[in-house]
Structure formats: C-alpha cells, structure tokens
Amino acid sequence: MIDQQLRATKDRIVEPVVRRLPSAVTPGRLTLMSLLGGAAAGLLAASGWQWWALAAWLASRLCDGLDGAVARRSGRQSDLGGYLDLMADAVGYVAVPLGVAAAQADRGAWVACAVLLASFYVNVMSWALLSAIAATRAVAADGRESLTTVHMPVGLVEGAETIVLFAVMLAWPGGAQVVCWVMAALVVVTVVQRLAWAARALR
C-alpha cells in the first residue's frame, strides 16, 4: 500500500551504498543472493533457528532493495532482470511461511500457512492476468497470434496435461500422492522452460 510513497526514500538511502559497491556486485548476483536468502530464511525457520532466519530474511530483502538500484546506476536494467527479481521474491514469500509452519508441528499452523499462500496465489493472479491481457492485446509473447485471452510460452504442463493428471488423481485416490509428486516435478520442468524462454525473449 505504501510502496510508492517509500520508493523515493528508499532510493535516497541506498544511493550512497550503491556508489560504494565494487563492480563485482552485479544486479544479477544481488538477485541471486536475494533468492538464496529467502530460501535460507525458510529452512532456518523450519529448523528452529529463528534469529538466524530473521537475519537471512533481512539480508534477502536488502539485496532485493539493492539489485534494481545497481541496475539503474550501471545501465543494466532489463525486462529479464525485473522478471528474475520477481521470481526471487516469490521464493522467499513461499519459503518463509512454510518454514514457520514446519517449526510449529501444529495442524493449525499448517492451515494458516495454506490460507496465507492461497491468498498470495489469488493476489498474484489478480495482477498477473491483467498485465498479461494488456500485453497480449499488443502482441503475443512469441510473435504468433494468440488463440487464448492470456498467451503463455509453451510448457510441458499446460491445460490438457492438468486435466488428465487431475482426472487420474480423482479416479485413483490411493495413488494421489504419487500423482502429486510426479505433477510437481513436471511443473518444475515447465517453470524452467519458461525461464529459458524469458532469458531469450526479454533481453
């Protein structure tokens, strides 16, 4: 809610820091550190190391605040960088609640975590779909005419595969866990495919 108001203040605070960073500190490396810090925060929280988890989370957020500023100052801004920055954020946003819930060993904690992550999902869909529709109206993501409202690069798991795998899950409840793990692995492959597409198309 207040991100826009804080943006100018944040830029003033980080500018002296950015000026003193060595050239080896690139936007991409800062984004990677942001991702690793978010993931580490979740793992440390799950292990009960709450203060180390907090430190990892704050370090992750610091790197997230610096990568864009370094990119702008060095003239390295790109759509790919912005995309990877959002992906790194998503890792932390998922890892931390999961880690906290895992440390509780309490069903209520898992329910709360599930509700929180569900709200994240709906929130992301609310803005991502609007953004995608606006982009699709201008041009399809890969230059082809889009046959659907939202155009996405081809991936291993799409609508048809989801229908089939969910049908198998419903028809074979005893094997649902196996289907879930298989589907999760296939979805990870799909994510990697789309990251590769982004690396080629968003430079």
Side-chain angles (χ1 to χ4, degrees), residues 141-142 144 150-162 165 183 185-198 200:
D142 58 6
R144 294 182 291 111
V150 178
H151 181 86
M152 291 180 287
V154 174
L156 183 60
V157 176
E158 295 180 333
E161 292 81 7
T162 301
L165 289 167
M183 186 174 184
L186 295 176
V187 171
V188 168
V189 172
T190 303
V191 171
V192 172
Q193 287 178 299
R194 288 177 175 159
L195 284 169
W197 177 88
R200 295 192 303 270

Side-chain angles (χ1 to χ4, degrees), residues 56-57 62 79 81 115 117 123 153 167 170:
W57 172 247
L62 175 62
D79 288 337
V115 171
L117 292 179
N123 180 56
L170 291 167

